[in-house]
Amino acid sequence: MQRRSGLAWTALAPVFAAMILASCAKDLNTGPRLATLVQISGDGQAGAIGATLGQPFVIKVVDQSGAPVKGEIIVWQVTSGGGSVSASQTSTDDDGLASTSLRLGTTIGPNTVRATLGDLDPVVFTASATAAPPTKLTSAGGDGQTATVGTLLPVDLSVEVTDAVGNPKQGVLVTFAVTSGGGTLSATSAVSNALGVASVHWTLGTIAGTQSTVAIVSGLIPVTFTATGRAGAPDALTILTGNNQTGTPGAALTDSLRVRLADRFGNPVSGVSITFAPNASSGTVSPTVVTTDVNGRAATRWTLGSTGGPKQVTATGGGFTQTFNGGGNVLYLVASAGGRHSCGLAQGGVEYCWGYNGDGQLGIGVAPAGSGPVFALPQPSGTSGNLTFGQISSGRFHNCSLTLAGVGYCWGLNVDGRLGSGNTTTALTPTAIVSTRPYSSISAGQTHSCSIDLAGRAFCWGGNADGQLGIIGGPVVPFDSLSITVPTAVQGGLLWAAISAGGLHTCAIDNAGTGWCWGNNASGQLGDGTTNGAVAPRLVAGGGGLTAISAGNLHTCALNAAGAAMCWGSNVSGQLGTGAFGNSSAPTAVTGGLVFAAISAGQSHTCGVTAAGAVYCWGSNAKGQLGDGSLTTRTAPTLVSGALVFRSISAGDLNSCGVTTANVAYCWGDNEFGQLGDGTTTARLTPTRVAFQP
């Protein structure tokens, strides 16, 4: 029995050993006493906050003999630092290895991860989260604003600097620069604060429209800010097109009247109403009110009034005004050069005057400005514009004209009654001569005027200090004393065909063609062979057969039936045209043998027009009044430059005017007060077209 029992236990020993080993194997898989977690790699790494570490955390599960254990579930848990693992549970592989990756938390400092398996001792991995570099630049405020150009934007330009996980980056240098619009910044750079924000002030540039500024951090995508600059308050209204046009009266001008409204920086101001208003007799515009467009522009079309001469349209808007000047073309019949002004008689009987208006001699109804000259372009005399003239004559400081009905009008200086208005009041517009008779001709001199009525009787009025009125037995009074303010008959019983009032003398031709003169004769200007003055008409020596006569300042010229010219009186400037200097108290032939159709004696020069329409002048040329392109005094007739064909000529004080056969008026010589009518005050040495002509 015992032997069998012993054999039995001996036989069962291997079975018990296997059972024990199996039990031990089972304990190895289920309990820490039979297996171990071993840290393999990944511990002690460092990286930027929010970044995933470059190496995974790796552990190994081994049994008591050191053999790897496969298939065990490892639990990974972040225990500090706020990071995250790529997998919270992983299984060991054939080599007993399991791993996970850590994305660091968002705060600087240590991060820990614990690996656990059942009740086995855990393995702890440690990593350090370091500061992250700036990775992103974003707008934090100030983009898309609108403000007036040249002003500070109400909201600062701000950017935020962050790292890869959105953490603000303090201490980062941000550079700011204006890229368009010409504005300015309070600083060209700023350092980000604890919130990662950097800011600057932006003052817009002066150009309306989109403006831009860029914020830059090295290595990052820049941020661009845009703002819209709107125009400021209107500061100027300027004329773009349409000024100084001329055209046919009553017709529309070719070019539009166009203005531009801008702020103080020149930016267009839109949406403002501009009113276009023509002056009296200037015509019409359409439309009358226009709103400025995006370019600050407004335009209208101008149809001229029915009369010629200067016209104006006033454009008003935004607190500013601009005036467009224009004019209706004028065709002239005759021109008359006075002292410092000139006048012309246009087709239709409208009289135009231009130049000096200090004594109201333009007749335009405008009072002289202070003691200075009032410069004016050709414009109709008379405020009503309803006078129709047939004759004109310009004196030194006044004018006289006759209507088609023979009614006389004078205007300008009147200190001595030279206007014939019955008083000594200066007239700014044509004032009727006190008379019940119609006149056939009229002439304005320096201080007096004369006319011939339809019956051939001569009348004079004004200053008579030298007997220039020809009133036998009448008063010869000082300039500033008793005045002859109404037309008074020239005594002598003669009937007259022509009369001319000069400086301080008068000359006329009777119906028999005989020349007579009276008044001052200090230079022999009466032509009677003496230098003795006369208070009544005195016969010109050898003065028969005359057809035209013109009294200048200190000399006189005439034409005979053959068209030959003769002159007498002062010749200090060669104005007698004899080819030499030296006064003559009797008529002396003008040299050159020219045949003239008309002649005019001025202050110290003379001009004549031939039957072929050529104009010759001689005498003083200090201001270019001879029109030959020089300033050289001429003692003999010299052809006026330009090859123009004239129908009439007039010599004034220091300028000359004429009208061509095409009815175009030209003037030349002195232009200090605009007496040439070309719109300038520049002296002209050759004929220059008067403004407002085709």
Side-chain angles (χ1 to χ4, degrees):
M1 289 290 293
Q2 290 182 342
R3 181 174 177 86
R4 190 182 300 159
S5 177
L7 289 172
W9 283 106
T10 302
L12 291 174
V15 176
F16 289 129
M19 292 175 64
I20 293 171
L21 287 174
S23 177
C24 290
K26 181 178 180 180
D27 290 341
L28 182 62
N29 290 330
T30 59
R33 292 183 304 274
L34 302 179
T36 305
L37 292 179
V38 180
Q39 187 181 81
I40 300 300
S41 63
D43 189 38
Q45 296 180 73
I49 56 175
T52 299
L53 293 176
Q55 297 180 16
F57 294 155
V58 181
I59 60 95
K60 186 175 184 180
V61 180
V62 296
D63 60 15
Q64 289 181 336
S65 64
V69 180
K70 177 183 178 182
E72 294 296 329
I73 303 301
I74 306 301
V75 176
W76 303 88
Q77 183 181 11
V78 176
T79 54
S80 68
S84 62
V85 291
S86 58
S88 59
Q89 293 184 6
T90 57
S91 298
T92 56
D93 59 14
D94 292 342
D95 296 320
L97 300 176
S99 65
T100 191
S101 296
L102 174 63
R103 181 178 182 181
L104 294 170
T106 58
T107 58
I108 298 173
N111 281 233
T112 56
V113 175
R114 184 173 61 189
T116 59
L117 175 60
D119 293 333
L120 295 180
D121 292 334
V123 173
V124 176
F125 290 85
T126 300
S128 296
T130 60
T135 59
K136 190 174 184 181
L137 186 66
T138 57
S139 172
D143 192 30
Q145 298 180 76
T146 298
T148 301
V149 292
T151 63
L152 179 68
L153 289 175
V155 179
D156 288 348
L157 305 188
S158 299
V159 290
E160 183 183 18
V161 186
T162 57
D163 59 21
V165 293
N167 292 307
K169 295 296 297 179
Q170 184 176 9
V172 177
L173 180 67
V174 181
T175 300
F176 293 87
V178 174
T179 53
S180 69
T184 58
L185 301 171
S186 59
T188 58
S189 63
V191 176
S192 60
N193 59 20
L195 300 176
V197 175
S199 302
V200 293
H201 307 308
W202 185 9
T203 298
L204 291 178
T206 60
I207 301 174
T210 301
Q211 303 187 28
S212 59
T213 294
V214 65
I216 299 172
V217 170
S218 179
L220 304 185
I221 298 174
V223 171
T224 297
F225 294 89
T226 61
T228 301
R230 59 172 179 259
D235 188 70
L237 184 68
T238 57
I239 293 176
L240 297 179
T241 62
N243 198 22
N244 296 320
Q245 295 182 83
T246 59
T248 303
L253 292 174
T254 303
D255 202 359
S256 297
L257 308 187
R258 185 174 287 106
V259 295
R260 181 176 185 267
L261 188 64
D263 66 10
R264 65 190 179 99
F265 301 114
N267 296 299
V269 179
S270 62
V272 177
S273 294
I274 305 295
T275 300
F276 294 91
N279 289 5
S281 302
S282 290
T284 60
V285 294
S286 181
T288 57
V289 180
V290 184
T291 301
T292 55
D293 61 17
V294 294
N295 296 311
R297 298 177 179 180
T300 190
R301 298 304 298 267
W302 183 6
T303 298
L304 293 173
S306 59
T307 60
K311 312 291 180 185
Q312 290 184 330
V313 170
T314 301
T316 304
F320 299 91
T321 297
Q322 280 287 354
T323 298
F324 289 87
N325 292 302
N329 288 330
V330 179
L331 291 175
Y332 288 96
L333 299 174
V334 67
S336 180
R340 292 173 289 184
H341 73 289
S342 305
C343 294
L345 181 61
Q347 291 178 340
V350 179
E351 183 166 344
Y352 295 85
C353 293
W354 54 91
Y356 183 76
N357 194 41
D359 301 297
Q361 52 264 65
L362 300 189
I364 58 177
V366 177
S371 59
V374 178
F375 168 78
L377 281 165
Q379 50 193 298
S381 296
T383 54
S384 63
N386 59 359
L387 294 174
T388 303
F389 292 107
Q391 287 188 33
I392 63 169
S393 179
S394 296
R396 177 164 288 179
F397 304 107
H398 75 295
N399 298 291
C400 291
S401 293
L402 295 180
T403 69
L404 293 177
V407 179
Y409 287 83
C410 295
W411 58 95
L413 188 66
N414 196 29
V415 294
D416 44 24
R418 69 190 72 175
L419 302 188
S421 59
N423 56 53
T424 57
T425 302
T426 292
L428 304 181
T429 58
T431 301
I433 297 170
V434 176
S435 175
T436 59
R437 65 185 62 84
Y439 295 103
S440 62
S441 66
I442 197 164
S443 178
Q446 177 173 316
T447 64
H448 69 296
S449 307
C450 296
S451 65
I452 299 174
D453 69 7
L454 297 181
R457 294 171 297 185
F459 297 83
C460 293
W461 56 94
N464 196 34
D466 291 272
Q468 59 264 48
L469 300 188
I471 305 171
I472 296 175
V476 179
V477 298
F479 175 84
D480 58 354
S481 183
L482 182 64
S483 299
I484 309 300
T485 63
V486 297
T488 303
V490 174
Q491 300 299 309
L494 296 171
L495 296 180
W496 306 95
I499 196 165
S500 178
L504 297 175
H505 74 292
T506 305
C507 292
I509 301 173
D510 65 20
N511 282 345
T514 302
W516 302 78
C517 294
W518 56 93
N520 186 284
N521 196 29
S523 299
Q525 59 263 47
L526 300 189
D528 66 342
T530 75
T531 56
N532 300 321
V535 296
R538 182 179 295 172
L539 189 66
V540 174
L546 301 182
T547 59
I549 197 163
S550 178
N553 184 39
L554 296 174
H555 76 294
T556 306
C557 292
L559 298 179
N560 63 22
M566 60 197 75
C567 296
W568 57 91
S570 174
N571 195 33
V572 294
S573 299
Q575 60 262 51
L576 301 188
T578 62
F581 297 102
N583 295 355
S584 175
S585 61
T588 304
V590 173
T591 189
L594 294 168
V595 177
F596 291 99
I599 197 164
S600 178
Q603 180 177 0
S604 56
H605 75 292
T606 307
C607 293
V609 57
T610 69
V615 169
Y616 289 81
C617 294
W618 56 93
S620 174
N621 199 24
K623 296 293 185 178
Q625 57 263 49
L626 302 188
D628 66 347
S630 77
L631 294 173
T632 303
T633 293
R634 309 290 184 179
T635 61
T638 302
L639 183 65
V640 170
S641 300
L644 297 167
V645 180
F646 287 89
R647 64 186 298 172
S648 65
I649 189 68
S650 175
D653 273 12
L654 297 172
N655 72 300
S656 305
C657 292
V659 175
T660 68
T661 54
N663 299 114
V664 178
Y666 289 83
C667 293
W668 56 93
D670 185 38
N671 199 25
E672 181 181 359
F673 302 101
Q675 57 263 52
L676 302 188
D678 66 344
T680 75
T681 54
T682 302
R684 307 293 183 180
L685 305 184
T686 58
T688 300
R689 185 186 297 249
V690 175
F692 309 122
Q693 297 185 99

